[in-house]
Structures are given as structure tokens and as C-alpha cells.
Amino acid sequence: MYIILLGAPGAGKGTQAVTLARELKLVHVATGDLFRQALEQQTELGLQAKEYMEKGVLVPDEITIQMVLERILMPDCDGGAILDGFPRNVNQARALDERLARQSRAIDRVIYIKVAREELISRLGGRWICRQCQAPYHEVNSPPKVAGKCDRCGGELYQRPDDMPETVEKRLEVYFEETALLIDYYTRAGKLVEVAGEGDVAEVSARIVAAVRHAG
Ligand code: AMP
């Protein structure tokens, strides 16, 4: 089963992907995490992605598509995957469809997590991430038990540089200009289900699991 989580930065894709991956026993593939790991390890890929990530714009398609396709064609993704942060424009979506079709596979469901703009800005502004396991926290909505430490692995929490106000504005602009077009693309393909992304994390999870299970 291949599932895409679609939504603006701050919609909760990462948080929900972790729960859904556990529930459905699927691998979680997050492009932002892959780029951040590459950046931390200073690989060629990381260096190529750096300037784009810092500006809050999309890393060029040829780099991104190759990275994701390589990842989802690894044996651990044979049973399927949850894609978080990919595709982010129609060109990426087409490349993904074409590559999966070559192996007689296809995207099963696209879950669009809808959250109002003001809420996105407030979520991104208060977001803290674990440096080790990438678990997200929010200083007001979901603070860690011990300040600055991850509840799951004890790792150090940090604020992503691209969660600073100017970059957030840019990322939201990119989202509304490029990524939101995918809502139409997947609606036409009959694959999109919209889920309200506001409210309690567990409630949103339940809505997403129900949307996937009823997909048939
Ligand atoms: P995220 O953690 O999903 O918010 O991604 C962080 C940054 O990584 C984005 O602002 C982009 O610069 C880059 N990125 C992640 N996914 C993609 C993608 N599918 N296409 C292009 N750039 C991406």
C-alpha cells in the first residue's frame, strides 16, 4: 500500500505519518528528513539541497525525484510506504506515478490534511524537533516532559532554522503556489480524501486511519 500525506508545512504530516506507519506496518519516507540527514552528514546530496532548504524553496526536481525513487525501490518498501513531503508539485507526482506503474504498482490513497493558515504559522513558530529521532514537539500544544529533551529517545530538541518567520512565509507561499495543485491532480485521479487536521493529535490520527481503511 502506498499512501501520500499531503498538506502544508505544519499540517502535521510528520506526526501523523509516524502513527500511521506503526498502525499499518509501513515504512515512513519523509523527504525533509532525508535531506536534513544528508545535510548533517555533509554528503553531496546534503550540500546540493542546503541553499534551497535555507531559503524555504523546493530542492530541484531532478535531485529530489532521484533520491525518493531510490528510497522507495529499496526492499523494505516492497510492502508499501507512507510518503511524507513528497510529491510537492505535479512534475514529481507524474514521475512517481510513472515509476510505480513500471512495476505494476500505484498510489492507493492520498490523505490531504487540511489546516487553516493562521494555525500553520502558530504551529511552525512553536515547533521543536528531536535531533536524533526527528520526533516533533510544540512548546504549547505538545511540550516534552523534560524541557529540551525528547520523550522517546532523550535526544536534544532544536528549532529548525527554516521555521523562522521569514522562511515560514516563503514555505507557505511555495506550498500554495505549487503543492496545493496536487489536490486537484489526485482528486481527478479519484485518490484524494480530505481530513480535518485541527484538534487533538489522536483525533486526527483516528480520522486518517478511518480514511485509509475505508479506501478499500
Ligand atoms: P519538510 O521537512 O517536509 O518541511 O521539508 C524541508 C525542506 O526540504 C523543504 O522546504 C524543501 O526545501 C525540501 N524538500 C522536502 N521535500 C521536498 C520535495 N518533495 N521537493 C523539493 N524539496 C523538498
Side-chain angles (χ1 to χ4, degrees):
M1 197 178 216
Y2 290 91
I3 297 168
I4 293 171
L5 292 186
L6 187 63
K13 299 186 296 296
T15 306
Q16 296 300 338
V18 171
T19 311
L20 198 59
R22 208 182 311 124
E23 190 85 20
L24 303 177
K25 300 191 173 50
L26 293 175
V27 177
H28 172 200
V29 176
T31 40
D33 289 350
L34 293 175
F35 281 132
R36 276 184 291 278
Q37 274 158 20
L39 199 60
E40 198 140 311
Q41 292 159 6
Q42 302 199 352
T43 63
E44 180 67 31
L45 176 71
L47 297 176
Q48 283 174 323
K50 187 171 190 275
E51 60 172 306
Y52 302 99
M53 295 177 77
E54 280 173 356
K55 286 191 204 134
V57 299
L58 298 186
V59 176
D61 283 351
E62 44 301 358
I63 301 174
T64 309
I65 291 170
Q66 193 193 343
M67 174 185 77
V68 178
L69 294 184
E70 270 176 21
R71 179 66 193 92
I72 62 173
L73 293 173
M74 284 181 185
D76 64 334
C77 290
D78 277 352
I82 296 173
L83 299 181
D84 155 11
F86 182 91
R88 254 173 156 103
N89 61 29
V90 173
N91 190 38
Q92 294 180 3
R94 289 211 179 100
L96 177 64
D97 282 347
E98 280 164 20
R99 190 63 189 80
L100 289 176
R102 271 201 257 157
Q103 289 183 290
S104 308
R105 298 182 193 180
I107 296 297
D108 295 280
R109 256 307 175 255
V110 179
I111 307 292
Y112 166 40
I113 309 177
K114 190 174 183 184
V115 173
R117 199 175 194 282
E118 310 75 65
E119 170 76 11
L120 295 170
I121 292 172
S122 124
R123 286 188 187 182
L124 293 169
R127 179 157 81 168
W128 290 78
I129 312 275
C130 173
R131 216 177 263 290
Q132 242 161 258
C133 75
Q134 321 299 324
Y137 295 86
H138 187 277
E139 56 196 25
V140 181
N141 306 339
S142 55
K145 291 193 183 103
V146 178
K149 280 209 164 179
C150 178
D151 293 354
R152 285 188 214 158
C153 73
E156 177 206 359
L157 303 187
Y158 78 109
Q159 281 194 292
R160 277 172 48 175
D162 61 349
D163 279 347
M164 297 304 152
E166 319 78 65
T167 323
V168 162
E169 279 299 326
K170 186 67 200 167
R171 287 163 64 212
L172 289 176
E173 190 186 311
V174 169
Y175 171 77
F176 287 109
E177 271 174 16
E178 299 194 45
T179 312
L181 301 179
L182 291 176
I183 297 169
D184 205 41
Y185 180 88
Y186 288 117
T187 301
R188 272 190 269 127
K191 295 187 175 174
L192 192 105
V193 184
E194 183 178 310
V195 165
E198 280 162 34
D200 189 60
V201 173
E203 271 171 34
V204 179
S205 294
R207 284 177 211 141
I208 293 178
V209 171
V212 171
R213 293 240 159 95
H214 293 153

